[in-house]
Amino acid sequence: MTGYQLIHHGAACGVTGSCHELRLGADGDFQDSLLVDCGLVQGEEAVSLGPLPWRRVGALVLTHAHLDHIGRLPELCQAGWRGPVYCSEATAALVPLMLADGLLQQGRSRGWVAAFLADLQRQLRPLPFGAWHRVALSAQQAVHLQLQPAGHILGSASITVRLAEGQRLVFSGDIGGGNSSLLRPPVSPAAADLLVLESTYGDRLHPAVAQRHQALRQVVERSLRDGGAILIPAFSIGRTQELLSDLEQILCEVQATGQQSQWQELPVVLDSPLGAQVTRLYRQFRRHWRREAQQKLGQGRHPLDFSQAVTLAEHGAHLEFIARLQATGEPVIVVAGGGMCQGGRIVDYLRALSPDPRTDVLLCGFQARGTPGALLQVGVERLWLDGQSVPVAAQIHRLSGYSAHADQAGLIEFVAGMASPPKAIRLVHGEPEAQRALAKALRQAFPGLAVDCAAQQDCP
Ligand SMILES: [Zn+2]
C-alpha cells in the first residue's frame, strides 16, 4: 500500500517560499515526489534554503503565479530538472511574464531569459478547472490532480491530489477573500484526508468591504478639490486590475447621475509595463470573471478597458508624463507599478511629485516593514528614494478592502464549504502566531478536528 510523507521546503514558519513535497512510496521507502509550488523566500524572511530534491520530483504543480510560489522554478530547471509543470490555463500564461520580470530584475540577460522561457514552455501543462488529470511521477507511482478556483489572483487554484488508494490531500494555495470585483470567489474542495491550508491572516478579520469603491471615490473626490496627481502604487497582478475595475464602476455611477463632474475629464493612467501585460491576460481570461463583472460586458461596459483609461508603455513617455504633471499640476489618477514604493515606476512619480502638497498618495496594499511605502504610511517628512532624500508634502491615504487573502472568517468558511469535513488540517503559509490563532479558531468551529501547525519550535 502506498504511503506518503509531506515535507515543507518553505512557508512553514512564514508567508513566503511556498514549496511542499509530497513523497510517495511503500514500506517506508519514499522515492517519488510531487512538488506543490516552488517559491522564493522574500523580504525579511530571507534565509538560505537547501537544494531542492529535484532528482526525486516526478512533477510540479503550481497553485498560482506569485513569485513566492513559482520563483525557484529557474533554479530547479537549472539543476537539470525537465519534468512537467501543471497549473491552470491562466497561470500558465502568467508564469512566463512573472518569471521574466523577476529574472531581469535579478540581472539576467534578455537572451538568457528568452532561452529559459522557451524551455519552460515545453514543460508547462495547463489544466482546466474541475477536471481530474492523471499524473505519472515514475513508472511505479501516479496521482490524479484536480484544480479549483481559489479567488486569490487570476488563475489561482487549490489543488486536490488523489493517491492510488483514494486518499485525498488538498493544498489550498493562497485563498482569496471573496472581495474581488473581477474574480469568482474561492471554491471549497469536496473532501480531504488532509487539508494543507494557508493562514496568512489566520489571526485577523478584515474590515467590511461591501462599499470598497465608495471609499475610493470619497478619497479621490477630496483630492480633486485641490488638483494635483493622485498616485496609487499597486502590485502588477491583482491589485492593479481590481483598482481599474473599481474606477470604471465609479465613472459609470458618476455618468449615470447626468451631472457635470470633474470625474468625466479625469484620465486614469496605468503606468506599469508588467501591469499592462497582466491586464491583457485578465481580459483574455474573462471566462474566469465573476458573474457581475461579465454582466458589465453584456451592457457594453468593460471593467479593464474604458475610454478614460490610458496605458503608458514606453519609458520615454513615462518620464515625459511626469515632467508634464510636475509643470502643470493637472488632476489625474495614476496606477503605477511598485506596490511598496521600493521599485517600479511609482518611484519616479514619488520623487517628482511628493514635495507638492496637491499630490495624494493612496496606499491600498500591504507595506512590508522598512519599505518606502511603510514609511509613507506612518507619516515621514522626508523619504529616501533611489539614493535621494525627497521632502514629503503629499497627502497620504490608506484604503482597505483590497487584500487578496481571506481573513480568519474566510478561511473557516473555506473549510465549512466542504461537502464533507476534512479529516485533518495542516496549517502553513503564516507567521507562527497566525497559525496558532487559526488552529484555535478551527478547533472551536469544528470540535474534534485534528489541526496542526507547520510552524514548530525551531522557527526563527
Ligand atoms: Zn499569492
Side-chain angles (χ1 to χ4, degrees):
M1 170 155 175
T2 307
Y4 69 83
Q5 282 183 328
L6 185 59
I7 294 118
H8 307 293
H9 295 289
C13 299
V15 296
T16 71
S18 270
C19 186
H20 311 292
E21 186 191 356
L22 178 62
R23 280 187 199 164
L24 300 180
D27 309 320
D29 185 22
F30 302 100
Q31 288 299 327
D32 304 303
S33 294
L34 174 74
L35 209 56
V36 181
D37 284 341
C38 191
L40 265 186
V41 180
Q42 295 170 318
E44 291 184 352
E45 286 175 24
V47 287
S48 61
L49 292 165
L52 290 166
W54 63 276
R55 284 181 197 282
R56 253 196 322 261
V57 175
L60 168 64
V61 56
L62 301 173
T63 59
H64 64 288
H66 273 146
L67 281 183
D68 63 321
H69 293 256
I70 64 168
R72 290 184 82 190
L73 193 42
E75 181 189 327
L76 193 65
C77 296
Q78 257 192 306
W81 187 76
R82 290 287 175 271
V85 180
Y86 294 92
C87 58
S88 73
E89 292 154 308
T91 298
L94 283 164
V95 161
L97 289 184
M98 301 305 286
L99 284 179
D101 188 68
L103 289 165
L104 291 171
Q105 277 182 35
Q106 285 165 22
R108 291 283 186 180
S109 71
R110 289 195 176 274
W112 191 94
V113 173
F116 164 72
L117 293 182
D119 285 342
L120 180 63
Q121 284 297 351
R122 287 189 278 276
Q123 290 170 265
L124 283 170
R125 304 277 188 280
L127 297 178
F129 285 120
W132 284 100
H133 189 84
R134 184 181 183 275
V135 171
L137 301 178
S138 67
Q140 294 77 37
Q141 295 290 348
V143 295
H144 282 79
L145 299 182
Q146 184 197 41
L147 275 57
Q148 294 280 16
H152 169 62
I153 57 168
L154 182 71
S156 62
S158 53
I159 291 154
T160 301
V161 184
R162 197 175 70 209
L163 308 187
E165 276 89 11
Q167 301 131 287
R168 290 182 185 210
L169 283 86
V170 176
F171 296 85
S172 74
D174 291 1
I175 299 171
N179 55 340
S180 168
S181 54
L182 287 165
L183 301 176
R184 291 192 193 127
V187 173
S188 300
D193 292 277
L194 177 66
L195 167 63
V196 181
L197 180 64
E198 73 123 319
S199 58
T200 314
Y201 290 125
D203 55 350
R204 252 174 280 178
L205 293 173
H206 297 324
V209 294
Q211 297 300 323
R212 174 177 86 179
H213 78 280
Q214 293 297 0
L216 173 62
R217 180 173 176 171
Q218 279 165 13
V219 178
V220 173
E221 268 164 9
R222 267 208 307 277
S223 336
L224 279 173
R225 284 185 211 129
D226 66 350
I230 299 164
L231 306 179
I232 316 184
F235 297 107
S236 305
I237 179 165
R239 206 65 46 95
T240 290
Q241 295 75 33
E242 296 287 336
L243 282 161
L244 290 176
S245 158
D246 282 0
L247 288 164
E248 189 273 345
Q249 175 67 30
I250 297 170
L251 290 168
C252 179
E253 287 172 10
V254 170
Q255 211 169 25
T257 64
Q259 292 165 354
Q260 274 304 101
S261 155
Q262 275 183 293
W263 279 97
Q264 280 144 342
E265 303 294 321
L266 187 66
V268 175
V269 174
L270 171 59
D271 195 346
S272 161
L274 180 61
Q277 286 176 299
V278 172
T279 302
R280 274 198 286 279
L281 290 178
Y282 264 75
R283 284 158 56 178
Q284 185 185 328
F285 285 94
R286 66 186 65 142
R287 64 179 187 274
H288 296 323
W289 291 7
R290 64 188 307 149
R291 198 180 325 122
E292 296 86 334
Q294 295 199 3
Q295 279 166 350
K296 290 176 187 172
L297 294 175
Q299 295 158 5
R301 292 168 55 188
H302 198 308
L304 296 177
D305 185 14
F306 43 97
S307 58
Q308 281 164 256
V310 183
T311 300
L312 289 183
E314 298 302 317
H315 196 248
H318 153 78
L319 294 177
E320 264 173 43
F321 184 61
I322 291 177
R324 187 175 110 191
L325 294 182
Q326 219 172 356
T328 63
E330 63 196 275
V332 59
I333 296 180
V334 181
V335 178
M340 300 192 208
C341 312
Q342 218 168 6
R345 291 192 169 178
I346 191 67
V347 175
D348 295 329
Y349 283 95
L350 288 172
R351 212 173 32 219
L353 301 173
S354 52
D356 186 338
R358 292 172 300 179
T359 302
D360 291 85
V361 182
L362 272 56
L363 298 170
C364 59
F366 173 72
Q367 307 296 326
R369 215 179 315 151
T371 58
L375 295 171
L376 281 175
Q377 197 164 279
V378 294
V380 288
E381 287 177 8
R382 299 191 80 85
L383 202 57
W384 199 255
L385 289 166
D386 257 359
Q388 201 181 322
S389 173
V390 179
V392 179
Q395 307 284 315
I396 312 297
H397 313 268
R398 168 100 203 125
L399 269 179
S400 58
Y402 285 89
S403 175
H405 283 273
D407 62 4
Q408 187 186 80
L411 292 165
I412 290 176
E413 203 182 302
F414 181 77
V415 178
M418 296 173 67
S420 51
K423 293 196 180 125
I425 293 182
R426 161 80 49 87
L427 298 179
V428 295
H429 200 287
E431 299 294 336
E433 327 61 275
Q435 293 189 25
R436 284 192 285 270
L438 181 60
K440 193 174 163 203
L442 284 165
R443 288 185 198 114
Q444 270 167 6
F446 309 98
L449 177 64
V451 185
D452 77 340
C453 300
Q456 298 297 329
Q457 305 303 349
D458 57 350
C459 281

